Amino acid sequence: MAKTRTIFLCQQCGSQQTRWMGKCPDCGTWDSLVEQAERKEPAGKSRGGATSTGANRPTPLREIAIGGFTRLPVLGDEFGRVLGGGIVPGSLVLIGGEPGIGKCVVGNTRVLDPRTGDYLPITDWQQTDRAVLGLNTISHQLRPACVTAFHDNGIRPTVEIRTRLGRHLQCTPSHPVLTPVGWREVGGLHRGDRIASPRALPYFGNETMPDAEVKLIAYILSDSDAQSSVHVTTALPEVAADLQTVADHFGMTLRCYRKRGNRAATYRFVVPPGQREAARQEIAGALRSIHGELGGSWTDWAQAACVSEAMLNMWRRAESAPSADELRRLAEAAGVPLERLAPDRRDQAEMTTPVARLLQQVSLRHTTAATKVVPEAIFRLEPSKLTLFLKILFTCDGSIYVSNRGIAGISYTTISRRLAEDVQHLLLRFGFIAQLRTKRLQVRGAPYTAFELQVLGSREVKRFLSEIGILGRAEAKARLETIQEPRLPSTHFDTVPTEANFWGHVRELVAGVSYTQMSREAGVVVHPNHEDRPLCRSTVVALANTYPSTYLQALAHGDIYWDEIESIVEAAEAPVYDITVPAHANFVANDLIVHNSTLLAQAAAKFADEVGPALYVSAEESGQQIKLRAARMGLDPEHLLIYSETSLDAILEQITQIKPRLVIVDSIQTVYLEDVTSAAGSVSQVREGAMRLLRAAKDSGIPMFLVGHVTKEGAIAGPRVLEHIVDVVLYLEGERFHQYRLLRGVKNRFGSTDEVGVFEMTQLGLKEVPNPSQVFLAERSAGTPGSAVAVTMEGTRPILVEVQALTSNTASPQPRRTANGFDMNRLQMLIAVLSKRVGLPLFNQDVYVNIVGGLRIGEPAADLAVAVAIASSFRNQRVRQDAVLVGEVGLSGELRSVGQLERRLSEAAKLGFSRAYLPVTGAALRVDGLSALETRSLAEAVDQALEGRAQRPPTDRRRPTTDDQDDDADETE
């Protein structure tokens, strides 16, 4: 029988310890040890539970047969180059992408925590113990899911999307949202496209609050003022009576102020006359009484309680009152119970009224009409309190109406857009889908913008009155009762978009039944010539009930409301963030459903066509999602098998039965082993899961790919031991390369770790780029000062890339040095060399360096190009257009040779360059069509590579000191 023991696993390196220590002894990381329960199998049992037969014995080296390692093809030359020439049978390959791969939203995007009711910015999800709502893409049901990682992805370009319901989302253009044809990037959508949003969010908090306080907050958000005084203006007698109950709760008096000729009256909350003075006298009496018992001086008591003696004298004379903390310290210093100092009277003795104190606590004090928002505490309330809150809001700023055409509606109007969005979200918790409209009016000759929420339809209005309610409006309520219920549901709002896949599925279900017979059996009208039009939900429900299928049931009874895009516009660059939700790989943000593996899907399809059956295991997406994406990319392989499963035991069983030629598991953090007692994605699960897949790959000879989530630092999530288990580790680097993706190998037991594959992201998936140099130079700003061409090596491949530099005068004592794609420390060194050895006074210059195309250059061979580009910008001289620069720069200004020069120069010649500036090598370099110009120093290279007369920009006229020049090497950004 298995025994259980407690171990401590390091989250960073995966090492095991028998006791907890503050610092991991293996990797030196503090507070990384997590307690885990480990089951120890009896002797003779393997960790997977299989009995050891002893058939596997040591074999002499001479008797081991060599063979069976013919590499298998996969997705073109670029992928094969990084893998070392193809896939090795039985190898285990781990591939990870950068955080989010550009799927990011801005920091003020709000996310619902279904466990607490909180509706907070996504930045609050750095505490990954929070939950979100995720969509099960098979059943279309929203369910709570745990967040396992938070990603800060820096500042990036964004777009803003707005929908017909008035919802908005600001995100990166590559962020996917759910459409009727699957997940699509926002940047590829257009006005009129439909996207998924929740039909309801029936998740509430469990906190409570006195009814009077809930009402007061709602009244203050309506026709009220919370500036110097707190008052509410209303014409409804029901509201006036309600305000009196609020005043009684806070022990205050309600004063009424009426204006002649105006039905509305202003009701102000005031402290009853003499109440404040009486409370202060009671506290002062208590202080004097206790002081008499102590027998010491007032100074001694003040010092013992750490309060001001002057203030204590004012309190004992009833001129003011102490705070709650000061009152507590006085009681402790005197050694008496707090109750003896009349703490219940302290609130009444303060100048701040009780209602003002509550408004300060919920951040509503001194707010204006345009800046009002629903306080965070309201979102955490239980349903009955939220119902009361909405009732008061709609009573004050809402209305019920029946139009001349007999259309019933209920509305809510405010001049604060954020407040309108808050109320729209709260209505969604009760299942009311409200449209947010912007109304631009003229009030007293001045422009006036208001935001109106509308809920239309007599059924919904009557449900609102029944479940939430509204005070007053007797006439409108009476008229509402007289209108007839519509015979058919509206086709203007809650409709289900249909496309070829929908009708193809229906035709398979009905098995040749005509549209007329289908309509008769389902009790609805289905037009054969209207397949491009959406269906109202009731029609889809009828079809799903008549012809049951999982697909139709999800469309009919799922939690998706198909909103419509009104606009997509470019927005400013902004800090963006993402979270990892392993259970569903999506979450609800700003009341829209957004996504959180195209490369491997393409690789699997090509492998299945050319080699044999490939098994694609998806623990994050359904087979329908993968099918839709494959159709968009034009993939239809005969032997590609899709398996949606999270149990690794079931996956291993299918691998044994099917015996495919290739297996892809997406992802290792979302699958789990039933005999490992920890959650999916934990250190134990990830490590043990990778070990069993490795064992299966080696035993069967089947190559396997594992997709890995990554941390915000860009490393694959989980213990470092995961990278030691596998044979190959690849990183797919994402959006910062614009439309390009770089596949970089960081570990490879069967090939080089320096190779890079370049792919272009298109609507049809990833397309390999056979000549990256031509791509990176396609938009080269030739002839502009500050632009030079470097030749860098990525593995065995030379790549030409444009280096851009910009220098600009600055009055700051610490000029900025900024590098994108180049090492910052090396940039600081080159600036110091240019200042000291070349004589460029860069002490008062901001210096910016950018490697075009997003490529990161890590080798010293780019030093010369970077230094010459900086000199070109400073001198305002162009670098010769037909020249490339190769060489390492030393601290004395000399140029040092670099490796593989002939290969670099040959690549430059192919792209039309006729000269190359490089260090003195002592070897004869002959490349057809290109002159190799050797230079001994950086100063010499700068003079030769720049053309024209130097035109220095105006500089600071103060004489540079030695300290100015020497400090350039130490200045940081």
Side-chain angles (χ1 to χ4, degrees):
M1 182 176 179
K3 297 181 179 179
T4 301
R5 65 168 182 161
T6 299
I7 60 172
F8 295 89
L9 281 175
C10 177
Q11 298 279 54
Q12 185 68 16
C13 67
S15 65
Q16 295 184 15
Q17 309 298 329
T18 56
R19 59 189 179 89
W20 188 88
M21 293 172 282
K23 181 179 179 181
C24 175
D26 291 342
C27 68
T29 305
W30 287 92
D31 297 326
S32 64
L33 296 177
V34 176
E35 183 177 357
Q36 299 280 351
E38 183 182 67
R39 297 179 64 184
K40 188 176 181 180
E41 300 292 342
K45 293 280 187 177
S46 69
R47 298 185 68 176
T51 303
S52 176
T53 62
N56 186 19
R57 297 180 180 276
T59 305
L61 177 63
R62 292 183 177 182
E63 298 180 11
I64 298 177
I66 300 177
F69 287 93
T70 303
R71 294 181 183 263
L72 305 175
V74 58
L75 197 61
D77 297 335
E78 291 298 298
F79 206 157
R81 172 194 294 272
V82 182
L83 288 173
I87 306 175
V88 174
S91 62
L92 189 62
V93 182
L94 176 64
I95 180 169
E98 287 197 339
I101 304 291
K103 305 170 184 177
C104 321
V105 296
V106 296
N108 61 5
T109 304
R110 290 191 289 171
V111 180
L112 170 65
D113 187 335
R115 296 183 301 191
T116 64
D118 278 312
Y119 191 47
L120 299 171
I122 192 172
T123 49
D124 283 39
W125 263 251
Q126 294 184 59
Q127 305 171 4
T128 54
D129 57 339
R130 288 189 177 275
V132 295
L133 280 177
L135 181 75
N136 183 317
T137 51
I138 298 177
S139 64
H140 284 191
Q141 300 294 318
L142 288 169
R143 293 292 182 265
C146 292
V147 174
T148 59
F150 175 85
H151 307 296
D152 182 347
N153 291 334
I155 299 176
R156 301 195 180 189
T158 64
V159 296
E160 184 175 22
I161 179 173
R162 290 195 177 273
T163 71
R164 185 180 183 186
L165 289 180
R167 299 193 175 104
H168 71 96
L169 179 72
Q170 187 177 347
C171 60
T172 53
S174 59
H175 200 108
V177 293
L178 184 59
T179 71
V181 294
W183 295 100
R184 291 184 58 190
E185 295 181 355
V186 168
L189 299 178
H190 303 88
R191 178 175 180 173
D193 289 339
R194 306 287 290 273
I195 61 176
S197 66
R199 292 183 67 200
L201 295 174
Y203 295 90
F204 302 88
N206 52 16
E207 295 186 5
T208 187
M209 185 183 293
D211 287 355
E213 296 183 8
V214 174
K215 292 179 180 180
L216 176 65
I217 293 173
Y219 282 127
I220 295 303
L221 289 174
S222 304
D223 296 326
S224 61
D225 184 43
Q227 301 297 321
S228 58
S229 63
V230 180
H231 60 261
V232 179
T233 302
T234 182
L236 295 174
E238 297 93 338
V239 173
D242 212 21
L243 290 173
Q244 185 60 58
T245 64
V246 174
D248 294 341
H249 171 81
F250 287 98
M252 301 184 69
T253 298
L254 190 67
R255 289 183 182 173
C256 178
Y257 300 88
R258 295 188 179 275
K259 293 183 179 181
R260 183 176 300 175
N262 193 333
R263 292 177 52 203
T266 299
Y267 297 87
R268 180 174 297 172
F269 295 93
V270 298
V271 175
Q275 182 189 78
R276 187 176 288 116
E277 178 64 24
R280 290 178 179 176
Q281 289 291 351
E282 187 172 339
I283 294 174
L287 289 172
R288 292 192 295 268
S289 174
I290 293 175
H291 177 261
E293 297 175 7
L294 292 176
S297 67
W298 290 98
T299 302
D300 294 338
W301 193 8
Q303 291 177 351
C306 297
V307 299
S308 168
E309 182 181 357
M311 294 301 300
L312 180 57
N313 290 330
M314 293 180 66
W315 299 336
R316 68 188 178 91
R317 292 194 298 265
E319 295 175 3
S320 65
S323 67
D325 185 57
E326 290 167 335
L327 208 63
R328 177 186 57 78
R329 295 205 300 269
L330 286 169
E332 290 177 353
V336 299
L338 180 62
E339 290 73 18
R340 292 207 43 198
L341 289 175
D344 55 331
R345 299 285 281 166
R346 191 204 65 81
D347 290 345
Q348 298 173 352
E350 274 193 345
M351 289 300 296
T352 305
T353 65
V355 295
R357 278 197 299 274
L358 174 65
L359 298 180
Q360 286 176 346
Q361 293 173 7
V362 297
S363 303
L364 281 181
R365 184 74 164 136
H366 305 302
T367 55
T368 62
T371 61
K372 290 178 179 178
V373 300
V374 173
E376 292 180 4
I378 295 296
F379 292 104
R380 297 192 294 267
L381 291 179
E382 59 186 13
S384 62
K385 302 299 181 181
L386 271 185
T387 298
L388 178 61
F389 176 78
L390 290 174
K391 180 178 181 179
I392 300 302
L393 279 186
F394 276 81
T395 295
C396 295
D397 287 339
S399 64
I400 303 174
Y401 60 88
V402 179
S403 69
N404 295 332
R405 297 171 57 188
I407 299 176
I410 188 167
S411 68
Y412 171 81
T413 305
T414 176
I415 66 171
S416 168
R417 183 178 188 96
R418 170 67 182 273
L419 178 56
E421 292 173 349
D422 290 347
V423 176
Q424 184 184 36
H425 170 80
L426 291 177
L427 287 173
L428 196 60
R429 295 196 185 185
F430 293 93
F432 292 101
I433 297 175
Q435 182 180 16
L436 175 58
R437 304 192 307 166
T438 301
K439 301 171 67 175
R440 291 179 172 84
L441 310 170
Q442 289 285 330
V443 177
R444 298 175 184 175
Y448 181 87
T449 302
F451 302 96
E452 181 187 42
L453 289 173
Q454 276 189 331
V455 178
L456 299 178
S458 59
R459 288 192 181 93
E460 289 296 277
V461 174
K462 290 179 179 179
R463 185 167 73 89
F464 182 92
L465 294 178
S466 172
E467 297 181 11
I468 295 178
I470 189 170
L471 299 177
R473 282 68 171 193
E475 183 178 344
K477 292 177 181 177
R479 187 177 179 190
L480 180 65
E481 295 299 327
T482 63
I483 65 174
Q484 295 182 351
E485 294 284 343
R487 187 171 59 87
L488 296 174
S490 171
T491 58
H492 293 287
F493 290 99
D494 192 8
T495 59
V496 177
T498 59
E499 28 71 41
N501 186 54
F502 173 88
W503 292 110
H505 181 81
V506 170
R507 281 191 285 269
E508 289 181 6
L509 284 177
V510 300
V513 173
S514 67
Y515 278 91
T516 302
Q517 185 177 350
M518 184 196 313
S519 300
R520 187 183 308 113
E521 292 178 354
V524 294
V525 178
V526 181
H527 295 281
N529 298 325
H530 293 173
E531 290 189 357
D532 57 336
R533 298 183 184 180
L535 297 176
C536 63
R537 189 172 297 274
S538 61
T539 300
V540 180
V541 170
L543 291 174
N545 293 338
T546 307
Y547 306 102
S549 77
T550 303
Y551 175 70
L552 287 183
Q553 290 292 332
L555 289 177
H557 304 291
D559 294 332
I560 290 180
Y561 178 95
W562 294 102
D563 206 348
E564 183 178 326
I565 294 178
E566 286 284 352
S567 65
I568 300 178
V569 297
E570 290 187 4
E573 289 189 349
V576 292
Y577 310 89
D578 196 12
I579 54 180
T580 298
V581 187
H584 303 293
N586 64 75
F587 59 99
V588 177
N590 276 11
D591 293 343
L592 292 171
I593 300 172
V594 299
H595 196 272
N596 243 8
S597 42
T598 302
L599 175 68
L600 290 182
Q602 290 177 259
K606 183 176 180 63
F607 187 94
D609 279 338
E610 296 186 3
V611 179
L615 178 62
Y616 189 105
V617 179
S618 175
E620 296 187 348
E621 295 181 290
S622 67
Q624 294 175 351
Q625 288 179 264
I626 299 173
K627 172 68 174 179
L628 289 171
R629 189 167 68 247
R632 174 171 59 84
M633 295 185 295
L635 303 177
D636 189 23
E638 180 181 357
H639 301 294
L640 177 58
L641 306 175
I642 305 298
Y643 186 39
S644 295
E645 181 57 65
T646 57
S647 171
L648 187 54
D649 298 291
I651 294 169
L652 291 171
E653 182 179 351
Q654 290 296 324
I655 293 173
T656 303
Q657 294 178 1
I658 298 173
K659 293 182 173 58
R661 298 292 303 277
L662 174 71
V663 174
I664 296 173
V665 179
D666 184 6
S667 66
I668 186 60
Q669 280 89 1
T670 54
V671 296
Y672 69 93
L673 290 162
E674 296 180 359
D675 60 337
V676 177
T677 56
S678 58
S682 65
V683 175
S684 300
Q685 287 281 1
V686 170
R687 184 189 58 184
E688 184 64 19
M691 286 295 298
R692 296 196 190 177
L693 287 169
L694 176 67
R695 190 180 307 126
K698 300 304 181 185
D699 291 346
S700 64
I702 300 173
M704 297 186 186
F705 280 88
L706 307 181
V707 178
H709 295 161
V710 293
T711 64
K712 63 182 179 182
E713 290 82 14
I716 294 178
R720 287 181 183 172
V721 71
L722 178 61
E723 298 189 24
H724 298 308
I725 293 173
V726 301
D727 298 309
V728 181
V729 179
L730 308 177
Y731 277 94
L732 183 64
E733 300 172 346
E735 189 207 16
R736 68 170 176 270
F737 302 102
H738 310 291
Q739 71 267 36
Y740 301 108
R741 303 288 188 266
L742 299 190
L743 185 66
R744 188 183 302 272
V746 297
K747 173 187 175 181
N748 192 346
R749 289 175 178 159
F750 313 112
S752 171
T753 58
D754 297 324
E755 296 292 354
V756 169
V758 183
F759 298 86
E760 181 181 6
M761 178 60 73
T762 69
Q763 288 293 330
L764 298 179
L766 288 174
K767 177 183 177 182
E768 66 178 18
V769 179
N771 193 340
S773 298
Q774 192 170 10
V775 169
F776 290 134
L777 296 177
E779 300 179 5
R780 177 190 170 204
S781 53
T784 302
S787 173
V789 177
V791 187
T792 183
M793 295 296 296
E794 293 290 348
T796 58
R797 165 194 281 165
I799 295 180
L800 275 68
V801 63
E802 181 185 5
V803 177
Q804 292 181 336
L806 176 66
T807 62
S808 175
N809 284 342
T810 179
S812 171
Q814 290 187 332
R816 289 178 60 87
R817 278 78 169 95
T818 302
N820 183 21
F822 191 74
D823 182 68
M824 176 61 71
N825 293 328
R826 202 152 192 89
L827 174 61
Q828 300 281 12
M829 184 201 75
L830 292 176
I831 292 173
V833 173
L834 285 169
S835 299
K836 189 79 172 180
R837 308 300 181 188
V838 185
L840 301 184
L842 300 175
F843 63 93
N844 63 345
Q845 299 286 312
D846 288 338
V847 179
Y848 304 89
V849 171
N850 177 48
I851 308 301
V852 176
L855 189 69
R856 291 189 213 145
I857 297 181
E859 65 164 347
D863 286 356
L864 181 58
V866 172
V868 170
I870 294 173
S872 169
S873 177
F874 178 77
R875 291 184 174 181
N876 203 25
Q877 292 178 265
R878 299 181 303 179
V879 179
R880 300 186 185 279
Q881 298 184 31
D882 60 346
V884 296
L885 299 107
V886 183
E888 178 184 355
V889 175
L891 289 179
S892 62
E894 82 280 10
L895 297 185
R896 296 179 175 273
S897 182
V898 297
Q900 304 185 63
L901 269 175
E902 287 192 14
R903 183 171 292 183
R904 297 176 195 259
L905 300 184
S906 297
E907 182 70 13
K910 290 179 184 177
L911 293 176
F913 290 90
S914 59
R915 69 179 75 189
Y917 293 95
L918 60 148
V920 176
T921 63
L925 294 174
R926 296 181 180 179
V927 178
D928 293 340
L930 187 141
S931 300
L933 306 176
E934 297 183 339
T935 54
R936 295 185 178 276
S937 67
L938 176 59
E940 183 182 344
V942 168
D943 290 338
Q944 293 185 17
L946 302 185
E947 61 183 19
R949 178 178 296 179
Q951 300 176 5
R952 295 190 181 183
T955 61
D956 191 343
R957 293 186 179 276
R958 70 182 177 94
R959 173 178 289 182
T961 64
T962 303
D963 291 339
D964 288 328
Q965 297 180 6
D966 290 343
D967 286 346
D968 276 340
D970 297 325
E971 288 167 346
T972 57
E973 180 183 347

